[in-house]
Amino acid sequence: QRLGMVEAIWGEHKSAEQIARILEELHRAGELALVTRVSPEKAEAVAALLGRERGEAWLLQHHPQARCLSAGLLPSPESRLGRVAVLSGGTSDLPVAAEAQLALACHGIATELVLDVGVAGLHRLLERLEDLRHADVLIACAGMEGALPTVLAGLLPQPVIGVPVAVGYGVSAGGVAALHGMLASCAPGLTVVNIDNGYGAAMAALRILGCGPGRSAAWTQGS
Amino acid sequence: QRLGMVEAIWGEHKSAEQIARILEELHRAGELALVTRVSPEKAEAVAALLGRERGEAWLLQHHPQARCLSAGLLPSPESRLGRVAVLSGGTSDLPVAAEAQLALACHGIATELVLDVGVAGLHRLLERLEDLRHADVLIACAGMEGALPTVLAGLLPQPVIGVPVAVGYGVSAGGVAALHGMLASCAPGLTVVNIDNGYGAAMAALRILGCGPGRSAAWTQGS
Amino acid sequence: QRLGMVEAIWGEHKSAEQIARILEELHRAGELALVTRVSPEKAEAVAALLGRERGEAWLLQHHPQARCLSAGLLPSPESRLGRVAVLSGGTSDLPVAAEAQLALACHGIATELVLDVGVAGLHRLLERLEDLRHADVLIACAGMEGALPTVLAGLLPQPVIGVPVAVGYGVSAGGVAALHGMLASCAPGLTVVNIDNGYGAAMAALRILGCGPGRSAAWTQGS
Amino acid sequence: QRLGMVEAIWGEHKSAEQIARILEELHRAGELALVTRVSPEKAEAVAALLGRERGEAWLLQHHPQARCLSAGLLPSPESRLGRVAVLSGGTSDLPVAAEAQLALACHGIATELVLDVGVAGLHRLLERLEDLRHADVLIACAGMEGALPTVLAGLLPQPVIGVPVAVGYGVSAGGVAALHGMLASCAPGLTVVNIDNGYGAAMAALRILGCGPGRSAAWTQGS
Amino acid sequence: QRLGMVEAIWGEHKSAEQIARILEELHRAGELALVTRVSPEKAEAVAALLGRERGEAWLLQHHPQARCLSAGLLPSPESRLGRVAVLSGGTSDLPVAAEAQLALACHGIATELVLDVGVAGLHRLLERLEDLRHADVLIACAGMEGALPTVLAGLLPQPVIGVPVAVGYGVSAGGVAALHGMLASCAPGLTVVNIDNGYGAAMAALRILGCGPGRSAAWTQGS
Amino acid sequence: QRLGMVEAIWGEHKSAEQIARILEELHRAGELALVTRVSPEKAEAVAALLGRERGEAWLLQHHPQARCLSAGLLPSPESRLGRVAVLSGGTSDLPVAAEAQLALACHGIATELVLDVGVAGLHRLLERLEDLRHADVLIACAGMEGALPTVLAGLLPQPVIGVPVAVGYGVSAGGVAALHGMLASCAPGLTVVNIDNGYGAAMAALRILGCGPGRSAAWTQGS
Amino acid sequence: QRLGMVEAIWGEHKSAEQIARILEELHRAGELALVTRVSPEKAEAVAALLGRERGEAWLLQHHPQARCLSAGLLPSPESRLGRVAVLSGGTSDLPVAAEAQLALACHGIATELVLDVGVAGLHRLLERLEDLRHADVLIACAGMEGALPTVLAGLLPQPVIGVPVAVGYGVSAGGVAALHGMLASCAPGLTVVNIDNGYGAAMAALRILGCGPGRSAAWTQGS
Amino acid sequence: QRLGMVEAIWGEHKSAEQIARILEELHRAGELALVTRVSPEKAEAVAALLGRERGEAWLLQHHPQARCLSAGLLPSPESRLGRVAVLSGGTSDLPVAAEAQLALACHGIATELVLDVGVAGLHRLLERLEDLRHADVLIACAGMEGALPTVLAGLLPQPVIGVPVAVGYGVSAGGVAALHGMLASCAPGLTVVNIDNGYGAAMAALRILGCGPGRSAAWTQGS
Ligand SMILES: Nc1ncnc2c1ncn2[C@@H]1O[C@H](COP(=O)(O)O)[C@@H](O)[C@H]1O
Ligand SMILES: Nc1ncnc2c1ncn2[C@@H]1O[C@H](COP(=O)(O)O)[C@@H](O)[C@H]1O
Ligand SMILES: Nc1ncnc2c1ncn2[C@@H]1O[C@H](COP(=O)(O)O)[C@@H](O)[C@H]1O
Ligand SMILES: Nc1ncnc2c1ncn2[C@@H]1O[C@H](COP(=O)(O)O)[C@@H](O)[C@H]1O
Ligand SMILES: [Mg+2]
Ligand SMILES: [Mg+2]
Ligand SMILES: [Mg+2]
Ligand SMILES: [Mg+2]
Ligand SMILES: [Mg+2]
Ligand SMILES: [Mg+2]
Ligand SMILES: [Mg+2]
Ligand SMILES: [Mg+2]
């Protein structure tokens, strides 16, 4: 918690036993916990290991879209802390966008999801532009050629965090084409996180929302 | 000429002596010749080897922007054969765009150059959209993240040929990020040629302009 | 439909639920729909979700060779709109070739399949050359070293679209060797789409068939 | 200026003639201009093309460490707009750090340079930690294995922007090892820009400093 | 045994039949055997092939954490032969750390496991520093960006062997980012083995412990 | 000479001093020597170091096309030892083809050069097919997509050795596209050497010509 | 059969139905057939499709070690046609070695298998050296670092064909490290085929055995 | 000096001015200094900047083979501290081997150079085997396929440090083939440093020589 962030556990390479043990420790310490990259089967196994009742008492919850497990009470969102818009090019990017939204929700940050605004159908993005002006930070998730954050950062002045998504095939399989497209972007001031790293984008947004004099005040009150 | 294309020589790895020898052969055969990737120094050396007078007689001409050498009379453009628009994101893409224009000019095809329409400044592209509707084929040259042909192919129904340009640094150095961005494009029906291959894009446009019943007629008259 | 193309949904990373929901929307809008990269199991699940009767009413159809799902009445092919030849090096490239054929069929374009004309057995390709002269556009699918479109574009003057196929092992696994072979081709004017992108090649052919004065007329009548 | 950013020209692939022409246009429009990636020789050539007097009148200035050219009056730094710390692992990263500092200086943002804090000599970084708490944004430039931003983001809660530097040899030549190290970082919320992109990191910091309610007020007064 | 090392068999691409046959040969020769990369299922199959009794007589043992099979009496650890510390950044690196520990145990070398000392939480590593001064060799296993061995080698003077771990996703999937981070390290004298090669790191430590005049004496007595 | 091959020195990374010293040693031992990858400048420097007279006495000779230096009497070619055809796609491949020819000439093997038979102009290759039937071994040098050896091996039954050439740009720069095209070839029994390795292809041909009962006899007489 | 080679079908991406259909055609034409990359399950399915009796009549046979299916009478080996030694570094390379042996057996060529001669245990290779002198061609299969063919080609004068094997993990996973090691070899005249391409190595050996005057005679009698 | 190592400065990306300034600081602190990757021209410029006399007083010395600059008195080698053998495959690897030797000499460690023992001429290595038994640590430098350390580690029980060398062309250009060959090695306990990192290999040897009880005593006396 040194950094004021909720404890997050990367679940992908951990067994249900290892996850259950970590959750018990965090529960004893009275901390909210977020486990990412958890399949429905593994979530089920963790719940079984902890026992039905304990799971309920701990508010253990599986978020299938975000592929996450949370344990503890999620704070209610406070718009005073800032607004984050999470955009995505298509339905296939949803799990990554949902991971970012949940990670922010764990810190009481409200998010808005703006779906299906891929650059091959530019009008859909342009229609949403006015709404987006009200966001403090923009998180843009995109697979394939990953051009969405580039176009966005050319249209709006806020911080834009690009999240390449491992959706695609051929040269875009694995998300490297999207990653390189975002890093190579001709739009000034776009920053990028690892492929599929919705959680990391959320934490970067959190760092931004908490930064600077005006903000700090709001944040000090807020937490 | 089997394919009805002007003889093109790839000059990059050839010595001035080798180029001069090939030009002599083509001149004897009465053919127009286009040598690509020729530096001013090499062009000078070829001209010196051929001799001033002969060079003039052959209409030997260096095109510094396109980095090409032509020998023979370029046909005057006939709009009846079709119109090609060549677009580029920035000044740095000019040599590639110019190579495409010259290669088409060698076949009597008129082209229009649409500069500085990179996707980070979308309004500049949107302003030119109506003009672009009149082109038969669109050739879009772009470096860095290479998103221009994607956005273009989402806005217009014509054939779009993407030419990745080896302009950039870090992950975009060498043009592979742009190439992959174009191949991975979420816009349907965009095709791509090798990095910096302005000549290839021109020949693809030529094949397209010559195709189909209506077209064939025009072409038969034309050549 | 902005581009006059049938709505295509990339099914690979979508759940049966997501696909069913999208098909319902398109059906309500009275549109023909094409879903690509759908396994027999997923196709079955979508059909079950929609209900047998509704599925029938919508003319829901799974095309196992092409790995696609279509919903709605496929137009009957009109040769007036142009002829496309789809070539492939071997049996293993069939799914990609079939995807291209089906995508064109959705737009009323007739195609001819020319199988087993790999360059290691050149005589089989040479035997078919005369037939191929009658096609307006050539789509050449090839895995391994991907030399087929190069040889083809050296022999014929029409537009040639190369589709690298992810068939092979060792250095050709994943299709990148074929992709690079096509991009690096010494044949002038060959264009390329992403690995396995039969759909994209079809849409590129469609853009070509619809281009130019003569063509436009035919097309305006046609649609 | 749509985004409130000083016009920046990427000088690397542009000729002195092209740069001089763009500077003239911007001068006529009364705008401050920043040209990046300009060698001393090219800077000299641009100055010669513009003419000594005009150059002086325009406040044309070459910044050799940052490899940039500026034309126009740089605003005096206003600490009210926020403080940015620029860190670097070693002397070899200086050009990139200096580009970031200059790009921020063009927008009136004060920066502090914290040199030689590579992670192989951790005590040097730990000694500076208290100072760094006062910065609003941290830009960390690092070559070789690029671990500096990771360690930093584990110690401090502010936004951290990692800039991989193309310094190294063998597997670290070109900066990809540093880039991947930063993207793969186990520290939450670190964001990354392209290799050597000091300018981009500065613009990302600018977006962050301008974001949020408290900040906006300060910024509105400021500009 | 030419090199004084226990016979190790790499089990990953071998069938249970092939492993059983090799174990029989080694047993006949009276040798201790270590089979690496053996899944629980394959271990079970080998045991079944050998027969329950024989398995017991041979002291056949599956080590699930280390994914290994041993046959024969493991020597008791002799601290006189040297002490090796095995460090890891997180729970996910455990299988690789355990393989290294087991391979050293087969040679009578005592090891200490130091878990969860990733560089994003530097204080945990700094707390363990004094203990680590007593180790003769340090083996540091790390995935993602792989910065642990770099930081370690900057703090301590002993031999440090970095083992990149194939834990991560996006650019760190497969362990190459960690490998390159270790090779590119700015800490002097860090050496590296292949990704996931806990066994190789152990054998390198063994070579080191056995080297030099003082050591040789201890070792000669020891074996 | 253990293998019956003329001593070859790879000159690329060696200084003129190092080459001169090695040539002196070989001359003292009475051996013919071949130094590859020697620029005209380095050849000149070696000759100067050895002294004009000595150079002449040693029959020191620079072969600019092949970029090689030979010292000693080249044997006269004996067709009895076998015939090798060296093919190349274009003028740009000549240096590599010439290196192969010279290396074979050093062993008394006669070669025939078949130029400009690239697969984009198939008829030129087909015209030469009958001649090629008389060769014992075929060495095919090709850059860009490297399809020549594939087509060749599909047409003729002899051993075919593919030499990828580092001629091209974009995806074919450096020769990897050609290398992968040859390795991925669908023609059975094609073998490959490193990019630009004309010398290696020659030595492979030599091994082949010397192999088998019939051959051995001829060779025993021959040497 | 244009090349005098048995018809080989690459089975990996073909369905049992497609394989059965091709075998029927070849059977009707009275030809021996070899299908490579066939799993036991697929082999079973093909046999079932053809029917037990027909399968027997056709001498349909699955070779599990070589992962192949043959249909027709394998000729008895004739040593007069030449001897091929197939070497491998370890048990894990067996499937590739076996594929090479079977493909040669289909052409009546006798092979000898020399197992477990990896370069980390050099004495085992040196012990077999005298035997190997009697082979006409050497096929060396090796995974991991792939050094076996290099050491071999340094010790023996015959043609050596290296087959990289996709055995390994980390940097050697997939066989590219072995492939590059063989191509980069400092041993003169080593040639290479694609990763795991035992069949290709066999066909290259066949081309070699059939080449040259002495050999041709033997072969003409032989077939 | 925290680690007891002589201060080393990586000179490649530093200007002569920067190097001179660092040397002045170290001289004031009374420390021996080693600057690596310094060309003759840069060495000359540094000497000029410091002034002839001061340079002499400081014992400033350029080591052209090792491409290094040292300032201060090199200690005389003490064999009591251990013996290191530095091996290399060919003349082209000398600069890397010399860097390793010089870096050890700076710490009073005696080294022996064993040249021209590449694995394609195995007998030369085998002849030196007995000598090598007396070394405490083996540093093996190799370019191309990099098999030398593998063969060495299979023959001798000491610590072996592989240094891949960026010597080669085609797939071995840049040294990655050698690096991967060493990491993928089938010889147990081989460790590796970055390409061309002679300095790093020396520091790893130093860590090893200083490790363990017997050694520590010798070292405590020694320093
Ligand atoms: N800039 C270029 N890029 C790609 N291909 C080219 C270029 N210039 C010429 N070519 C092609 O290269 C062929 C000539 O190659 P060469 O025989 O080496 O001169 C021509 O037939 C053209 O198809
Ligand atoms: N060093 C730099 N790195 C990345 N982007 C830059 C750099 N310098 C300028 N730019 C961006 O490139 C754009 C100008 O590109 P251009 O039109 O080619 O000069 C500017 O709007 C900046 O966003
Ligand atoms: N152009 C070349 N390409 C590949 N290998 C070569 C070449 N020239 C010489 N060699 C090989 O390199 C060895 C000599 O390497 P070196 O000792 O470094 O001169 C010779 O025995 C040849 O096998
Ligand atoms: N040739 C070299 N290769 C790798 N690391 C080096 C080399 N020379 C110096 N170093 C390391 O780089 C550090 C100095 O980097 P710098 O501060 O940039 O001079 C030293 O502490 C050494 O650990
Ligand atoms: Mg969509
Ligand atoms: Mg621009
Ligand atoms: Mg076939
Ligand atoms: Mg430093
Ligand atoms: Mg952890
Ligand atoms: Mg040609
Ligand atoms: Mg073995
Ligand atoms: Mg040598």
Side-chain angles (χ1 to χ4, degrees), chain D residues 194-208:
Chain D
N194 196 5
I195 295 163
D196 287 343
N197 195 359
Y199 166 75
M203 291 308 97
L206 196 71
R207 287 176 184 263
I208 292 171

mmCIF file with all atom_site columns, all heavy atoms in Angstrom, chain D residues 194-208:
data_model
loop_
_atom_site.group_PDB
_atom_site.id
_atom_site.type_symbol
_atom_site.label_atom_id
_atom_site.label_alt_id
_atom_site.label_comp_id
_atom_site.label_asym_id
_atom_site.label_entity_id
_atom_site.label_seq_id
_atom_site.pdbx_PDB_ins_code
_atom_site.Cartn_x
_atom_site.Cartn_y
_atom_site.Cartn_z
_atom_site.occupancy
_atom_site.B_iso_or_equiv
_atom_site.pdbx_formal_charge
_atom_site.auth_seq_id
_atom_site.auth_comp_id
_atom_site.auth_asym_id
_atom_site.auth_atom_id
_atom_site.pdbx_PDB_model_num
ATOM 1   N N   . ASN D 1 194 ? 7.882  6.025  -27.070 1.00 0.00 ? 194 ASN D N   1
ATOM 2   C CA  . ASN D 1 194 ? 8.821  5.395  -28.012 1.00 0.00 ? 194 ASN D CA  1
ATOM 3   C C   . ASN D 1 194 ? 10.279 5.635  -27.569 1.00 0.00 ? 194 ASN D C   1
ATOM 4   O O   . ASN D 1 194 ? 10.570 6.578  -26.836 1.00 0.00 ? 194 ASN D O   1
ATOM 5   C CB  . ASN D 1 194 ? 8.600  5.985  -29.422 1.00 0.00 ? 194 ASN D CB  1
ATOM 6   C CG  . ASN D 1 194 ? 9.238  5.143  -30.527 1.00 0.00 ? 194 ASN D CG  1
ATOM 7   O OD1 . ASN D 1 194 ? 9.783  4.056  -30.270 1.00 0.00 ? 194 ASN D OD1 1
ATOM 8   N ND2 . ASN D 1 194 ? 9.179  5.638  -31.757 1.00 0.00 ? 194 ASN D ND2 1
ATOM 9   N N   . ILE D 1 195 ? 11.149 4.786  -28.024 1.00 0.00 ? 195 ILE D N   1
ATOM 10  C CA  . ILE D 1 195 ? 12.588 4.888  -27.785 1.00 0.00 ? 195 ILE D CA  1
ATOM 11  C C   . ILE D 1 195 ? 13.095 6.281  -28.171 1.00 0.00 ? 195 ILE D C   1
ATOM 12  O O   . ILE D 1 195 ? 12.794 6.747  -29.268 1.00 0.00 ? 195 ILE D O   1
ATOM 13  C CB  . ILE D 1 195 ? 13.294 3.798  -28.610 1.00 0.00 ? 195 ILE D CB  1
ATOM 14  C CG1 . ILE D 1 195 ? 12.885 2.412  -28.111 1.00 0.00 ? 195 ILE D CG1 1
ATOM 15  C CG2 . ILE D 1 195 ? 14.802 3.972  -28.580 1.00 0.00 ? 195 ILE D CG2 1
ATOM 16  C CD1 . ILE D 1 195 ? 13.178 1.289  -29.074 1.00 0.00 ? 195 ILE D CD1 1
ATOM 17  N N   . ASP D 1 196 ? 13.830 6.923  -27.264 1.00 0.00 ? 196 ASP D N   1
ATOM 18  C CA  . ASP D 1 196 ? 14.456 8.235  -27.494 1.00 0.00 ? 196 ASP D CA  1
ATOM 19  C C   . ASP D 1 196 ? 13.459 9.384  -27.609 1.00 0.00 ? 196 ASP D C   1
ATOM 20  O O   . ASP D 1 196 ? 13.867 10.509 -27.925 1.00 0.00 ? 196 ASP D O   1
ATOM 21  C CB  . ASP D 1 196 ? 15.317 8.234  -28.784 1.00 0.00 ? 196 ASP D CB  1
ATOM 22  C CG  . ASP D 1 196 ? 16.603 7.463  -28.613 1.00 0.00 ? 196 ASP D CG  1
ATOM 23  O OD1 . ASP D 1 196 ? 17.015 7.198  -27.475 1.00 0.00 ? 196 ASP D OD1 1
ATOM 24  O OD2 . ASP D 1 196 ? 17.233 7.120  -29.636 1.00 0.00 ? 196 ASP D OD2 1
ATOM 25  N N   . ASN D 1 197 ? 12.177 9.128  -27.322 1.00 0.00 ? 197 ASN D N   1
ATOM 26  C CA  . ASN D 1 197 ? 11.166 10.156 -27.544 1.00 0.00 ? 197 ASN D CA  1
ATOM 27  C C   . ASN D 1 197 ? 11.035 11.105 -26.348 1.00 0.00 ? 197 ASN D C   1
ATOM 28  O O   . ASN D 1 197 ? 9.995  11.144 -25.666 1.00 0.00 ? 197 ASN D O   1
ATOM 29  C CB  . ASN D 1 197 ? 9.825  9.508  -27.892 1.00 0.00 ? 197 ASN D CB  1
ATOM 30  C CG  . ASN D 1 197 ? 8.851  10.519 -28.478 1.00 0.00 ? 197 ASN D CG  1
ATOM 31  O OD1 . ASN D 1 197 ? 9.169  11.695 -28.599 1.00 0.00 ? 197 ASN D OD1 1
ATOM 32  N ND2 . ASN D 1 197 ? 7.672  10.056 -28.835 1.00 0.00 ? 197 ASN D ND2 1
ATOM 33  N N   . GLY D 1 198 ? 12.070 11.883 -26.106 1.00 0.00 ? 198 GLY D N   1
ATOM 34  C CA  . GLY D 1 198 ? 12.033 12.878 -25.031 1.00 0.00 ? 198 GLY D CA  1
ATOM 35  C C   . GLY D 1 198 ? 10.913 13.878 -25.264 1.00 0.00 ? 198 GLY D C   1
ATOM 36  O O   . GLY D 1 198 ? 10.226 14.292 -24.323 1.00 0.00 ? 198 GLY D O   1
ATOM 37  N N   . TYR D 1 199 ? 10.722 14.270 -26.510 1.00 0.00 ? 199 TYR D N   1
ATOM 38  C CA  . TYR D 1 199 ? 9.666  15.215 -26.855 1.00 0.00 ? 199 TYR D CA  1
ATOM 39  C C   . TYR D 1 199 ? 8.290  14.661 -26.468 1.00 0.00 ? 199 TYR D C   1
ATOM 40  O O   . TYR D 1 199 ? 7.470  15.342 -25.849 1.00 0.00 ? 199 TYR D O   1
ATOM 41  C CB  . TYR D 1 199 ? 9.710  15.532 -28.350 1.00 0.00 ? 199 TYR D CB  1
ATOM 42  C CG  . TYR D 1 199 ? 8.476  16.228 -28.837 1.00 0.00 ? 199 TYR D CG  1
ATOM 43  C CD1 . TYR D 1 199 ? 8.265  17.569 -28.552 1.00 0.00 ? 199 TYR D CD1 1
ATOM 44  C CD2 . TYR D 1 199 ? 7.499  15.546 -29.554 1.00 0.00 ? 199 TYR D CD2 1
ATOM 45  C CE1 . TYR D 1 199 ? 7.103  18.209 -28.965 1.00 0.00 ? 199 TYR D CE1 1
ATOM 46  C CE2 . TYR D 1 199 ? 6.352  16.182 -29.974 1.00 0.00 ? 199 TYR D CE2 1
ATOM 47  C CZ  . TYR D 1 199 ? 6.155  17.510 -29.683 1.00 0.00 ? 199 TYR D CZ  1
ATOM 48  O OH  . TYR D 1 199 ? 5.010  18.130 -30.077 1.00 0.00 ? 199 TYR D OH  1
ATOM 49  N N   . GLY D 1 200 ? 8.038  13.422 -26.815 1.00 0.00 ? 200 GLY D N   1
ATOM 50  C CA  . GLY D 1 200 ? 6.747  12.807 -26.502 1.00 0.00 ? 200 GLY D CA  1
ATOM 51  C C   . GLY D 1 200 ? 6.507  12.719 -25.000 1.00 0.00 ? 200 GLY D C   1
ATOM 52  O O   . GLY D 1 200 ? 5.384  12.948 -24.527 1.00 0.00 ? 200 GLY D O   1
ATOM 53  N N   . ALA D 1 201 ? 7.544  12.384 -24.242 1.00 0.00 ? 201 ALA D N   1
ATOM 54  C CA  . ALA D 1 201 ? 7.397  12.309 -22.788 1.00 0.00 ? 201 ALA D CA  1
ATOM 55  C C   . ALA D 1 201 ? 7.037  13.684 -22.240 1.00 0.00 ? 201 ALA D C   1
ATOM 56  O O   . ALA D 1 201 ? 6.191  13.804 -21.339 1.00 0.00 ? 201 ALA D O   1
ATOM 57  C CB  . ALA D 1 201 ? 8.692  11.806 -22.163 1.00 0.00 ? 201 ALA D CB  1
ATOM 58  N N   . ALA D 1 202 ? 7.661  14.721 -22.789 1.00 0.00 ? 202 ALA D N   1
ATOM 59  C CA  . ALA D 1 202 ? 7.358  16.081 -22.341 1.00 0.00 ? 202 ALA D CA  1
ATOM 60  C C   . ALA D 1 202 ? 5.902  16.423 -22.627 1.00 0.00 ? 202 ALA D C   1
ATOM 61  O O   . ALA D 1 202 ? 5.202  16.992 -21.786 1.00 0.00 ? 202 ALA D O   1
ATOM 62  C CB  . ALA D 1 202 ? 8.295  17.067 -23.040 1.00 0.00 ? 202 ALA D CB  1
ATOM 63  N N   . MET D 1 203 ? 5.417  16.082 -23.802 1.00 0.00 ? 203 MET D N   1
ATOM 64  C CA  . MET D 1 203 ? 4.027  16.397 -24.147 1.00 0.00 ? 203 MET D CA  1
ATOM 65  C C   . MET D 1 203 ? 3.054  15.597 -23.276 1.00 0.00 ? 203 MET D C   1
ATOM 66  O O   . MET D 1 203 ? 1.988  16.081 -22.906 1.00 0.00 ? 203 MET D O   1
ATOM 67  C CB  . MET D 1 203 ? 3.763  16.123 -25.636 1.00 0.00 ? 203 MET D CB  1
ATOM 68  C CG  . MET D 1 203 ? 4.465  17.090 -26.585 1.00 0.00 ? 203 MET D CG  1
ATOM 69  S SD  . MET D 1 203 ? 4.197  18.854 -26.218 1.00 0.00 ? 203 MET D SD  1
ATOM 70  C CE  . MET D 1 203 ? 5.686  19.243 -25.264 1.00 0.00 ? 203 MET D CE  1
ATOM 71  N N   . ALA D 1 204 ? 3.426  14.364 -22.928 1.00 0.00 ? 204 ALA D N   1
ATOM 72  C CA  . ALA D 1 204 ? 2.579  13.590 -22.020 1.00 0.00 ? 204 ALA D CA  1
ATOM 73  C C   . ALA D 1 204 ? 2.544  14.260 -20.651 1.00 0.00 ? 204 ALA D C   1
ATOM 74  O O   . ALA D 1 204 ? 1.478  14.358 -20.017 1.00 0.00 ? 204 ALA D O   1
ATOM 75  C CB  . ALA D 1 204 ? 3.094  12.161 -21.908 1.00 0.00 ? 204 ALA D CB  1
ATOM 76  N N   . ALA D 1 205 ? 3.687  14.753 -20.188 1.00 0.00 ? 205 ALA D N   1
ATOM 77  C CA  . ALA D 1 205 ? 3.726  15.455 -18.894 1.00 0.00 ? 205 ALA D CA  1
ATOM 78  C C   . ALA D 1 205 ? 2.847  16.696 -18.964 1.00 0.00 ? 205 ALA D C   1
ATOM 79  O O   . ALA D 1 205 ? 2.114  17.016 -18.026 1.00 0.00 ? 205 ALA D O   1
ATOM 80  C CB  . ALA D 1 205 ? 5.164  15.818 -18.544 1.00 0.00 ? 205 ALA D CB  1
ATOM 81  N N   . LEU D 1 206 ? 2.903  17.390 -20.071 1.00 0.00 ? 206 LEU D N   1
ATOM 82  C CA  . LEU D 1 206 ? 2.098  18.593 -20.258 1.00 0.00 ? 206 LEU D CA  1
ATOM 83  C C   . LEU D 1 206 ? 0.608  18.266 -20.181 1.00 0.00 ? 206 LEU D C   1
ATOM 84  O O   . LEU D 1 206 ? -0.172 18.981 -19.544 1.00 0.00 ? 206 LEU D O   1
ATOM 85  C CB  . LEU D 1 206 ? 2.417  19.172 -21.640 1.00 0.00 ? 206 LEU D CB  1
ATOM 86  C CG  . LEU D 1 206 ? 1.977  20.608 -21.885 1.00 0.00 ? 206 LEU D CG  1
ATOM 87  C CD1 . LEU D 1 206 ? 2.832  21.566 -21.072 1.00 0.00 ? 206 LEU D CD1 1
ATOM 88  C CD2 . LEU D 1 206 ? 2.115  20.953 -23.373 1.00 0.00 ? 206 LEU D CD2 1
ATOM 89  N N   . ARG D 1 207 ? 0.203  17.205 -20.855 1.00 0.00 ? 207 ARG D N   1
ATOM 90  C CA  . ARG D 1 207 ? -1.206 16.787 -20.782 1.00 0.00 ? 207 ARG D CA  1
ATOM 91  C C   . ARG D 1 207 ? -1.598 16.517 -19.323 1.00 0.00 ? 207 ARG D C   1
ATOM 92  O O   . ARG D 1 207 ? -2.687 16.878 -18.886 1.00 0.00 ? 207 ARG D O   1
ATOM 93  C CB  . ARG D 1 207 ? -1.433 15.519 -21.610 1.00 0.00 ? 207 ARG D CB  1
ATOM 94  C CG  . ARG D 1 207 ? -1.410 15.733 -23.124 1.00 0.00 ? 207 ARG D CG  1
ATOM 95  C CD  . ARG D 1 207 ? -1.555 14.392 -23.865 1.00 0.00 ? 207 ARG D CD  1
ATOM 96  N NE  . ARG D 1 207 ? -1.437 14.539 -25.314 1.00 0.00 ? 207 ARG D NE  1
ATOM 97  C CZ  . ARG D 1 207 ? -2.484 14.642 -26.153 1.00 0.00 ? 207 ARG D CZ  1
ATOM 98  N NH1 . ARG D 1 207 ? -3.707 14.570 -25.695 1.00 0.00 ? 207 ARG D NH1 1
ATOM 99  N NH2 . ARG D 1 207 ? -2.275 14.786 -27.458 1.00 0.00 ? 207 ARG D NH2 1
ATOM 100 N N   . ILE D 1 208 ? -0.715 15.869 -18.589 1.00 0.00 ? 208 ILE D N   1
ATOM 101 C CA  . ILE D 1 208 ? -1.012 15.531 -17.196 1.00 0.00 ? 208 ILE D CA  1
ATOM 102 C C   . ILE D 1 208 ? -1.115 16.800 -16.352 1.00 0.00 ? 208 ILE D C   1
ATOM 103 O O   . ILE D 1 208 ? -2.048 16.962 -15.563 1.00 0.00 ? 208 ILE D O   1
ATOM 104 C CB  . ILE D 1 208 ? 0.081  14.605 -16.630 1.00 0.00 ? 208 ILE D CB  1
ATOM 105 C CG1 . ILE D 1 208 ? 0.009  13.241 -17.315 1.00 0.00 ? 208 ILE D CG1 1
ATOM 106 C CG2 . ILE D 1 208 ? -0.064 14.461 -15.116 1.00 0.00 ? 208 ILE D CG2 1
ATOM 107 C CD1 . ILE D 1 208 ? 1.173  12.313 -16.987 1.00 0.00 ? 208 ILE D CD1 1
#
